[in-house]
Amino acid sequence: MSAPTPETAAPAATTGTFAAPVESDSARASLEALRSEIAKAVVGQDSAVTGMVVALLCRGHVLLEGVPGVAKTLLVRALAASLELDTKRVQFTPDLMPSDVTGSLVYDARTAEFSFQPGPVFTNLLLADEINRTPPKTQSSLLEAMEERQVTIDGTPRPLPDPFLVAATQNPVEYEGTYPLPEAQLDRFLLKLTVPLPSREDEINVLTRHADRFNPRDLKAAGIRAVAGPADLEAARAAVARTSVSPEIAAYVVDICRATRESPSLTLGASPRGATALLSTARAWAWLTGRDYVIPDDVKALALPTLRHRIQLRPEAEMEGVTADSVITAVLAHVAVPR
């Protein structure tokens, strides 16, 4: 895979638990095949695909930000199909209740007992569409699922499938009637990926495909097949865990995060959890690019998508046109790179 842009980072996927062992190189090749497979349905979003793979490798969650119509939903569906993962979609609305996401106890008159009816969160890849359009109470229903990989109903914890990833979308331009995600919930997302508008050439390609009867609701007809499975993801995660990190690289990550806390443009810098997340995503990217050790370029490649949602701008800085990305870019330019 080519290096991710500041707009990427993400997962790898699979299902099941009884596959034969897979070598690290074979797992890497399978995950690299995702881009060409997903490209059969989604045009020009390689960075977002890479980000999703990184998130799956790190057992993290992803916040996708982009205007309507840039194939965010199609991207998630194509990723799930390419990895043979179960996926469900929830449209977040102002009247959505927590039980609509997690499930609830239902009384069965025939047995005179309550039985648990699982909600859509019981899946491998949950697409939380327009998550900022639902009230905080429903938003918070995802916190336990994202952090603990379980939901608790009537005092009983119920584990979620593995792998489990939440891909939440939000519109960056239309804020009327929305409920901004609190910092505590934003911090639960490993990465925030921006899904840009396509280039002119890519947009022509999209229209040409639709003219040739491409149906985004029928991925099988588009030729998408599973190119990776449970054993590939298991081997990949094990290999990422073996990727070495030198003391100098660990110090570099810490220095970057500490520099955000000292930036005059910010009221909130990256926390130690943000530093841990950056080290985790850098290790995953190092392994995807064929190395068993992390170099400074790996940290730089994943700094924007890992940290942009973990910092908070001062109002006066926003008025001057400062952005989270520009602050992080400036920090990367000033923090000394280990040799």
Side-chain angles (χ1 to χ4, degrees), residues 102-106 114-119 122 151 153 158:
T102 61
S104 59
L105 294 176
V106 177
F114 285 92
S115 61
F116 177 65
Q117 297 297 317
F122 286 86
V151 295
I153 306 295
R158 303 176 188 276

Side-chain angles (χ1 to χ4, degrees), residues 178-248:
T178 63
Y179 303 83
L181 299 179
E183 286 76 16
Q185 185 160 0
L186 282 173
D187 205 37
R188 295 306 194 278
F189 287 98
L190 180 69
L191 301 166
K192 180 181 178 181
L193 308 177
T194 59
V195 185
L197 289 165
S199 65
R200 181 175 183 273
E201 292 72 20
D202 285 340
E203 195 165 359
I204 291 173
N205 191 352
V206 170
L207 266 62
T208 301
R209 292 187 180 195
H210 281 266
D212 290 338
R213 300 184 179 181
F214 167 72
N215 183 358
R217 296 172 182 80
D218 189 355
L219 296 181
K220 286 186 179 180
I224 292 183
R225 58 185 179 84
V227 294
D232 297 301
L233 184 56
E234 182 180 350
R237 286 175 169 176
V240 169
R242 295 192 298 268
T243 303
S244 64
V245 178
S246 69
E248 292 78 13

Side-chain angles (χ1 to χ4, degrees), residues 6 29 304:
L304 284 179

Side-chain angles (χ1 to χ4, degrees), residues 41-120:
V42 181
V43 178
Q45 299 295 356
D46 284 358
S47 292
V49 173
T50 301
M52 296 287 286
V53 172
V54 170
L56 271 175
L57 288 175
C58 299
R59 293 181 170 86
H61 307 286
V62 176
L63 185 62
L64 295 169
E65 186 172 271
V67 299
V70 291
K72 298 187 294 294
T73 300
L74 181 59
L75 169 64
V76 173
R77 291 179 54 240
L79 175 68
S82 301
L83 290 167
E84 209 170 9
L85 293 176
D86 180 45
T87 182
K88 291 184 174 66
R89 174 181 175 274
V90 179
Q91 180 67 50
F92 279 68
T93 58
D95 59 349
L96 193 73
M97 300 295 292
S99 59
D100 295 329
V101 178
T102 61
S104 59
L105 294 176
V106 177
Y107 182 73
D108 189 338
R110 294 174 297 178
T111 61
E113 295 179 347
F114 285 92
S115 61
F116 177 65
Q117 297 297 317

Side-chain angles (χ1 to χ4, degrees), residues 11 30-39 49 53 79 82-83 227:
S30 296
L31 295 179
E32 287 177 344
L34 285 174
R35 288 199 307 162
S36 58
E37 199 65 24
I38 294 174
V49 173
V53 172
L79 175 68
S82 301
L83 290 167
V227 294

